[in-house]
Amino acid sequence: MPMPDRVFDGGKLRDRRVIKRLSQSTLAEGLHVKANAVYRWENGLAAPPPERLPAIAAFLDADLNELFPRTESPNLADLRCDAGMTQADTARYTNTSSPMPVRAAEQGKRPLSDQAVTALAAAYNVTRAELLAAQRRSFGRPEEPEEEPSADGARVARKLESLRTEVYGGVAPSDAHLASEGNRKSGSTVLTEATIRALRAGEVAEPEEEALDALALAFDVPPVYFRQDDPEVDALILSTRAVRNRFTVMVARGAGQDMPKESWDQLRDFIGETMGEILADDENGRSA
């Protein structure tokens, strides 16, 4: 991993340790590393992983910016390292099964979802504006301020991220495939790969209903999913879609192939009747 823009000076580290009257062994023990590692750092033979710099400064009771000053404004990797995190650590904040979304954003390949921006800003102890500015630097973009996603744009981006993580296990169909499927099922050319990419990034201020309906068809979810913002409705749709996706995969893999046809019919009937009862109960309980 390349070093961030903070300057690491082994001699400066040694001087600070001596001032605090700590041995190399004591510092190593406090940082949970071998004493030889501290020796190598102080003598310019190696440098600590960038995400360790905050812990080193804290243990030596030093200001991070004074002990390891920064030469340029931070990018996404710098903010993560300043929070003392590895890429793997970020998965629990982005609610994904792997650090791939963060890795892709740090490499300037794919921007973070609006939901991930909010979560990581809190985890890194920075504002959303600061994290978005760092993301622009990771993509080599100019420093001028970038408009925050609109409320509608952010909502659609969040819903697309939920589909990706909760239905597809973090690996959704490609934007090109979704555009093709949405256009085919809707019978009109309303989606392009670029359109879906912009929707995922929250860059479309007022998404067109026709495009959202086609996108719903591509994901095989009801159009209402993109048109409302009720968490309970979202949870029901996502859960149902995830069950259907899992059932399809299970059948494709030949799971349960030893089950008699009668058992399969019972399983299908159970799923269908359960959903029918849920919707019937909701309809009966809804006030006119």
Side-chain angles (χ1 to χ4, degrees):
M1 177 188 296
M3 283 291 291
D5 292 323
R6 291 195 178 280
V7 176
F8 176 77
D9 185 332
K12 196 172 182 179
L13 171 63
R14 181 183 58 248
D15 293 343
R16 181 66 184 180
R17 175 180 61 76
V18 171
I19 290 174
K20 298 297 293 184
R21 297 185 178 182
L22 299 174
S23 67
Q24 288 183 341
S25 297
T26 301
L27 177 58
E29 183 178 352
L31 298 174
H32 305 291
V33 299
K34 295 181 179 179
N36 183 55
V38 175
Y39 171 84
R40 290 173 60 81
W41 296 345
E42 292 186 349
N43 288 277
L45 301 176
E51 63 269 15
R52 281 193 179 274
L53 298 183
I56 295 173
F59 192 85
L60 294 174
D61 196 25
D63 182 89
L64 178 63
N65 291 316
E66 291 183 3
L67 188 59
F68 308 119
R70 188 182 296 288
T71 60
E72 297 181 11
S73 297
N75 57 28
L76 284 175
D78 298 333
L79 290 185
R80 172 177 56 75
C81 292
D82 282 358
M85 296 185 192
T86 64
Q87 287 182 341
D89 294 331
T90 63
R92 65 174 178 268
Y93 297 101
T94 56
N95 195 30
T96 55
S97 58
S98 79
M100 286 301 296
V102 170
R103 181 175 301 134
E106 289 184 1
Q107 294 175 349
K109 295 181 178 178
R110 186 171 61 252
L112 295 166
S113 68
D114 183 71
Q115 184 178 11
V117 168
T118 299
L120 290 177
Y124 295 168
N125 196 28
V126 298
T127 65
R128 276 181 54 93
E130 290 171 329
L131 192 132
L132 287 170
Q135 178 167 256
R136 288 195 296 276
R137 297 183 194 108
S138 293
F139 280 74
R141 294 174 182 167
E143 289 288 332
E144 50 262 18
E146 184 175 278
E147 290 186 5
E148 285 269 0
S150 68
D152 287 342
R155 175 170 54 81
V156 172
R158 185 178 67 251
K159 287 173 177 287
L160 287 171
E161 177 65 13
S162 295
L163 281 166
R164 186 183 69 81
T165 57
E166 298 185 34
V167 175
Y168 293 94
V171 185
S174 69
D175 295 341
H177 175 78
L178 289 171
S180 175
E181 282 295 287
N183 292 335
R184 181 181 66 80
K185 291 181 177 180
S186 66
S188 58
T189 307
V190 295
L191 294 176
T192 66
E193 184 176 359
T195 298
I196 295 178
R197 186 181 305 115
L199 287 170
R200 282 196 298 101
E203 296 173 351
V204 181
E206 297 181 3
E208 296 181 2
E209 288 191 0
E210 189 179 15
L212 294 182
D213 288 349
L215 194 57
L217 289 172
F219 276 107
D220 203 12
V221 296
V224 68
Y225 177 69
F226 288 110
R227 295 188 177 186
Q228 53 74 49
D229 208 16
D230 187 321
E232 293 186 354
V233 173
D234 283 356
L236 178 60
I237 292 173
L238 290 170
S239 297
T240 305
R241 186 64 183 81
V243 168
R244 181 175 178 180
N245 197 55
R246 185 171 179 179
F247 185 83
T248 301
V249 171
M250 183 176 69
V251 172
R253 290 177 176 172
Q257 57 186 346
D258 295 331
M259 288 175 58
K261 181 178 183 302
E262 181 182 357
S263 297
W264 275 112
D265 291 342
Q266 290 176 358
L267 179 58
R268 291 190 179 93
D269 289 345
F270 171 74
I271 294 174
E273 289 172 3
T274 299
M275 291 308 302
E277 289 175 3
I278 291 173
L279 296 176
D281 289 345
D282 181 66
E283 183 175 333
N284 293 333
R286 186 184 300 279
S287 58

